[in-house]
Amino acid sequence: MTTTITPDTPGTPVSPPPRDRTRYLYLAVIVAVVAGILVGLVAPDAGVALKPLGTAFVALIKMMISPIIFCTIVLGVGSVAEAAKVGKVGGLAIGYFVVMSTVALVIGLVVGNLLHPGEGLQLTDALRKAAEDQAAKGGESDTTTFLLGIVPTTLVSAFTSGQVLQTLLVALLTGFALQAMGRRGAPILTGLGHIQRLVFRILAMIMWAAPVGAFGAMAAVTGAGGFDALRSLAVLMIGFYITCLLFVGVILGAILRLFTGINLWSLLRYLGREFLLILSTSSSESALPRLIAKMEHLGVGRAVVGITVPTGYSFNLDGTAIYLTMATLFVASATGAPLSLGEQIALLVFMIIASKGAAGVTGAGLATLAGGLQSHRPGLVDGVGLIVGIDRFMSEARALTNFAGNAVATVLIGNWVRDFDRDRAEEVLAGRLPFDESSLLDEGHPTPPPSAAEREPALSPH
């Protein structure tokens, strides 16, 4: 048996650190994805019948989102000495999200006008019926309803409704209230710290069901779509995937390198397990809790993470912006009613506004597309039926792009407000400070000494 001797205590045997068994978990996820695709192709009916497995797993993850967001934001905001810093983080985040969504929209417009997708396709009565169903879903909400929906019915209902922005609002109010309470709020923060550990432990347990969920989700989507949908709409799908890759690799990569000096591919490799989880479930929301934990581990301040990540999931819709742009041009071309440049911009700006709060929800992009067309160009709605068959495959690219955009945004905002430990980030990305998969927290890793500003009392004595 081998023992390790520490330099500070000569002769004292120390057990080697426990092996990271979670790598087997994600190998199992890859195997499950491949097995699900095979089942869906060989036995489509059986594959579709397995859909509840994927649905149940995503539901388990969503169950944890509200408590994780609440604990993270309250602990972050409640520990900040100045409330103005929270407002600065939120303002920077919203401004950045608007700019990047606009950039994504323009890129989608350019690529869509170059490719001219949708030419030569024919509509059937079945496709028209599918389009009408999606338009009905998209018409259930408008911008005013969305804004009013941010306010929960009760303080507690924010945790049961599953609305990220409602939880964000309640958490911010709670954090500011704890700031105002001063030292009397310290025991509450301590208690929330223990609750956060419990919540992340539960999440770590749920993650062991990921292979089952991935198998069910991939079998269902492959069984429902098969190769036919992929062949007939290959131009739109390939063009969309390439556009998303260019946006992430060129635009986001350049911005991240320019402002922080961090290599994008190192960051994406660090988040590899989260990308695999999104790929297997087609929902970026399934990786939201892990993104919060990993961004804190990377060295971004807790308050920045707590505000930027949940807000980004509702406002930073880079992948959805590209999708709405290209899908609209596809529908217009397929129905023989191409849009002028002015019509394209007006319609798509409306869609970006109407889509707030839809990120992370599988299929929400398609409903938003149909609802937007129903409001502005009803004659184009029937063409949405052409996309229904491949939307799930495109949903994966949307989710992956949205997730990458939120990860980059969190690092950028942390750097701009000077709440980002770049030295720690380099250690983490180099693999010298591994992420603790068993607890999803940093309790086992030493943190750098606080700066002079951070040594100020976290809570006002007044």
Side-chain angles (χ1 to χ4, degrees), residues 193-198 200-201 296-297 302 424 434-436 438-447:
H194 292 304
I195 293 175
Q196 185 190 48
R197 293 185 185 91
L198 171 64
F200 273 117
R201 283 285 182 180
E296 285 190 30
H297 175 73
R302 178 176 282 172
R424 178 181 175 87
F435 181 69
D436 185 359
S438 63
S439 67
L440 307 185
L441 293 170
D442 282 330
E443 296 170 316
H445 301 304
T447 55

Side-chain angles (χ1 to χ4, degrees), residues 1 13 16 53 89 119 146 160 209 213 234 240 243 250 259 288-289 349 397 409:
M1 179 176 130
L53 294 178
V89 171
E119 293 180 351
F146 162 73
T160 58
F240 179 59
T243 305
V250 178
F259 288 101
L288 189 157
V349 166

Side-chain angles (χ1 to χ4, degrees), residues 312-334:
Y313 262 71
S314 291
F315 289 92
N316 193 26
L317 308 173
D318 301 331
T320 304
I322 295 172
Y323 167 81
L324 290 173
T325 306
M326 296 186 67
T328 298
L329 296 180
F330 169 86
V331 168
S333 178

Side-chain angles (χ1 to χ4, degrees), residues 266-272 274 294 297-298 428-429 435:
S266 298
L267 178 64
L268 299 184
R269 186 170 60 249
Y270 170 63
L271 298 170
E274 287 66 43
K294 280 203 162 182
H297 175 73
L298 187 66
V428 170
L429 296 179
F435 181 69

